[in-house]
Amino acid sequence: MTRATLIATIGPCGAGKTTWRQRHAPVDAVVVSLDETRAALSPCGCSANQAVNAAAVEAATATTREVLAAGGTVVWDTTAYLPRFRWKLLDLADDYGAHTIGLVVLPPLLTALDRNAGRDATACPHCGYARRVPDPVVWRMHHAITTALPRLPGEGWHELRFLDLPPYLRTR
């Protein structure tokens, strides 16, 4: 029997988290994407619809519990930019004795902003949200993760992996 595993991406919007999971997530992993879950639950189909965010988190958590209880692997494709978000995932994994991997995807801020700028900025006429995240939100996320880097090892992750870190954040 394999050990349950939870892999959580940690990165701002536009970092490349979804691209990573589409290319590199374990084949047998169940992917939990809050964007995709919001889109499925939203009457207008928008992945940014915050009106359904609580229900999306609840559904994602239920799926995660189910997979971890069966000893499977879950990849959370989410920003997890605040400690409270990461702690919830770590507590959830701990409930099932799951191995945890924090995957930090943190390109330079200008790269994340450029990628985010490529997203549709048109607000949905039904929910009022656009796929593109406002630049100040991306800045705050990037800053929060950058300043959390020294504390991540103490949060309780079994493994931390760092992708796409800017040269000024790499250790020697």
Side-chain angles (χ1 to χ4, degrees):
M1 184 168 164
T2 60
R3 181 176 185 191
T5 302
L6 183 135
I7 301 168
T9 58
I10 302 167
C13 300
K17 300 174 303 294
T18 299
T19 299
W20 175 87
R21 66 104 166 155
Q22 289 171 340
R23 294 179 182 165
H24 304 289
V27 177
D28 62 340
V30 172
V31 173
V32 172
S33 165
L34 291 183
D35 285 349
E36 292 167 12
T37 306
R38 278 192 298 268
L41 295 174
S42 176
C44 57
C46 289
S47 63
N49 186 344
Q50 297 302 299
V52 296
N53 197 57
V57 170
E58 187 176 314
T61 301
T63 297
T64 301
R65 288 188 181 286
E66 200 174 290
V67 173
L68 294 179
T73 297
V74 177
V75 175
W76 266 73
D77 180 358
T78 184
T79 60
Y81 73 99
L82 291 175
R84 71 175 181 262
F85 301 150
R86 296 187 299 270
W87 295 336
K88 286 182 181 182
L89 292 172
L90 288 165
D91 286 345
L92 181 58
D94 190 52
D95 288 346
Y96 299 93
H99 182 75
T100 56
I101 301 170
L103 183 68
V104 181
V105 187
L106 191 64
L109 175 60
L110 293 178
T111 300
L113 289 169
D114 184 55
R115 291 175 183 163
N116 182 59
R119 296 176 176 174
D120 188 0
T122 308
C124 172
H126 302 286
C127 71
Y129 292 97
R131 179 79 178 108
R132 184 183 305 166
V133 177
D135 283 352
V137 174
V138 178
W139 298 338
R140 283 193 299 275
M141 289 179 172
H142 197 280
H143 177 74
I145 296 164
T146 300
T147 58
L149 289 175
R151 295 186 306 277
L152 287 177
E155 287 184 354
W157 299 96
H158 294 112
E159 291 181 53
L160 283 167
R161 298 180 188 166
F162 300 89
L163 303 179
D164 210 10
L165 288 182
Y168 56 86
L169 292 175
R170 295 183 193 134
T171 57
R172 294 166 213 232

